[in-house]
Amino acid sequence: MMDDIPSALPDKPVRFFDRFRSFMRAKQMAYRTEKTYCFWVADYIRFHQRARPEVLGSAHIDEYLSYLAVRRRCSVNTQKTALNALVFMYQKFLGIEVGTLNFAHSNRMRTLPTVFSHVEAMTVIGGLTGIYQLITGLMYGSGLRISEACRLRIQDVDFANGCIIVRESKGLKWRRTLLPESLVEKLQTQIHYALSLHQKDLNEGFGSVYLPNALAKKYPNASVSPPWQYVFPASNRSEDPMCGTIRRHHIGEKSVQRQVKKVIEAARIYKKAGCHTFRHSFATNLLRAGVDIRNIQEMMGHSDLATTQIYTHVVGVQERGVVSPLDVSGLDTKVREEPPPYWKLAG
């Protein structure tokens, strides 16, 4: 299922959301950002009884954002995302200045991310098989998001330099990260399979793959060339929602998430964990190993070092040489007798 490919829009969009989507695509914004912004703008419009955004002002934005914080108890990041969506719609798309806002801020502070210990991570990975094991290995060993691992292309795996190139990830940023040596042979086998499947598609009159932005027009033959094929192709071909072409897309994220959830439950790991926990564990275990936090920031693709520094809190004081007094040996454990009452002392 190609749920990460934009659907086609009218040549001359008239409806509000068609125009809004067209505007974001002209700015080459990530499709996930497009979907997120459309979700919050639609929720804002529904909150105000489907009034046109042009007739609403800063007071209405304040009311909605306060509602998210007070009534819906949204987190700080969720409220911030909604604010970004509305400011973008008004100032960039509609050309209307928002002005000074005075809304109730969310008091649900950001929580610490859940992480696996190394043993837990390897237990979950070991409980999976085939491509599911390889994908989770990349999430833990390279710090990839599930979306990045699933849509990895053959040219993104640089065996010669021992790295993985993540192209146009969150925020349309590029970065390099580690290629685990233990996965090299398995990745080479998987790429050989992907290329064999691609050749089969070509023989049957198919074989083109989705290319982002305008690359298909700029490089007409790139969609059928080996470097652009997915490392983890889907088992079936499907219709591209943008142009109607039958293609073979990458494996779906939900299928990986389902397999990981089953193994976590079977392993009796009682944490709020999932695929993204592997990425958190990658950063945390690198920090435990003494890797410089700037290097971790680069491999994680964080724009702000403060985002990476959250993992210093995850590591915890128990891993900085601080020991509970209950666990310290050699303390005086002799039980002292209670002193006699004061009247006996006086006598």
Side-chain angles (χ1 to χ4, degrees):
M1 184 177 179
M2 300 187 182
D3 56 357
D4 60 346
I5 295 180
S7 56
L9 293 175
D11 293 335
K12 295 183 179 180
V14 176
R15 298 170 59 187
F16 177 83
F17 278 102
D18 286 343
R19 291 187 290 111
F20 189 40
R21 288 180 181 274
S22 179
F23 180 79
M24 287 188 281
R25 291 181 192 181
K27 290 187 171 293
Q28 297 187 347
M29 296 174 65
Y31 184 50
R32 289 193 178 223
T33 303
E34 176 187 318
K35 291 195 292 185
T36 300
Y37 279 15
C38 284
F39 171 83
W40 287 113
V41 169
D43 194 64
Y44 169 73
I45 292 172
R46 283 193 298 269
F47 176 77
H48 289 295
Q49 286 74 49
R50 301 184 182 277
R52 293 176 61 84
E54 297 90 333
V55 303
L56 303 175
S58 57
H60 298 92
I61 299 175
D62 286 338
E63 183 184 0
Y64 173 69
L65 294 175
S66 297
Y67 158 77
L68 292 181
V70 177
R71 300 293 298 277
R72 282 172 49 174
R73 299 287 297 163
C74 288
S75 67
V76 174
N77 285 349
T78 299
Q79 188 188 45
K80 190 178 296 184
T81 301
L83 171 63
N84 291 341
L86 295 179
V87 170
F88 177 85
M89 176 195 65
Y90 274 108
Q91 297 190 168
K92 301 294 184 181
F93 175 57
L94 297 176
I96 299 174
E97 284 297 322
V98 171
T100 303
L101 298 176
N102 186 27
F103 56 89
H105 291 268
S106 174
N107 57 7
R108 280 190 58 197
M109 300 306 295
R110 185 176 182 180
T111 58
L112 294 178
T114 302
V115 298
F116 291 129
S117 69
H118 178 67
V119 172
E120 289 173 333
M122 297 307 294
T123 299
V124 176
I125 294 171
L128 296 162
T129 58
I131 59 175
Y132 298 112
Q133 186 180 73
L134 185 51
I135 289 173
T136 52
L138 286 170
M139 289 190 289
Y140 180 53
S142 305
L144 301 184
R145 300 178 178 89
I146 183 174
S147 60
E148 296 167 348
C150 288
R151 70 182 188 210
L152 201 66
R153 299 186 193 252
I154 291 174
Q155 64 180 336
D156 299 335
V157 185
D158 189 345
F159 292 109
N161 291 306
C163 68
I164 290 177
I165 302 170
V166 184
R167 306 171 192 270
E168 296 186 355
S169 62
K170 188 175 181 180
L172 297 179
K173 296 187 292 287
W174 289 38
R175 72 180 192 275
R176 288 191 178 198
T177 187
L178 300 174
L179 171 59
E181 291 184 10
S182 58
L183 297 183
V184 168
E185 186 175 347
K186 292 180 179 179
L187 272 171
Q188 289 173 336
T189 302
Q190 176 62 29
I191 288 174
H192 177 74
Y193 165 76
L195 291 175
S196 299
L197 188 61
H198 172 56
Q199 187 59 51
K200 178 178 178 292
D201 287 341
L202 288 173
N203 295 339
E204 296 176 1
F206 301 97
S208 68
V209 72
Y210 168 75
L211 297 182
N213 304 323
L215 286 176
K217 293 182 179 179
K218 188 174 182 180
Y219 306 108
N221 297 323
S223 64
V224 295
S225 63
W228 283 98
Q229 305 308 307
Y230 291 112
V231 174
F232 303 106
S235 56
N236 299 310
R237 294 186 289 258
S238 54
E239 182 179 325
D240 188 327
M242 176 68 77
C243 59
T245 303
I246 302 300
R247 307 183 189 276
R248 189 180 296 277
H249 205 44
H250 57 70
I251 187 173
E253 297 174 22
K254 290 183 179 179
S255 64
V256 181
Q257 291 168 336
R258 283 192 294 266
Q259 294 297 321
V260 169
K261 183 179 179 181
K262 287 180 183 178
V263 175
I264 289 174
E265 291 176 351
R268 297 184 179 181
I269 298 174
Y270 303 119
K271 294 180 177 180
K272 188 180 179 181
C275 287
H276 206 65
T277 310
F278 288 107
R279 176 172 159 85
H280 291 318
S281 305
F282 166 80
T284 304
N285 288 335
L286 285 181
L287 197 61
R288 284 173 176 148
V291 177
D292 183 75
I293 195 168
R294 292 282 183 181
N295 291 331
I296 299 174
Q297 176 192 6
E298 183 179 346
M299 288 185 286
M300 294 288 283
H302 292 157
S303 300
D304 190 349
L305 183 62
T307 305
T308 315
Q309 285 175 331
I310 190 73
Y311 298 108
T312 62
H313 301 289
V314 177
V315 170
V317 294
Q318 78 280 4
E319 297 179 50
R320 301 176 199 152
V322 181
V323 181
S324 168
L326 189 63
D327 298 329
V328 177
S329 60
L331 290 181
D332 184 6
T333 56
K334 182 180 178 180
V335 178
R336 301 181 186 277
E337 295 181 357
E338 290 291 327
Y342 70 91
W343 61 83
K344 291 186 176 181
L345 291 173

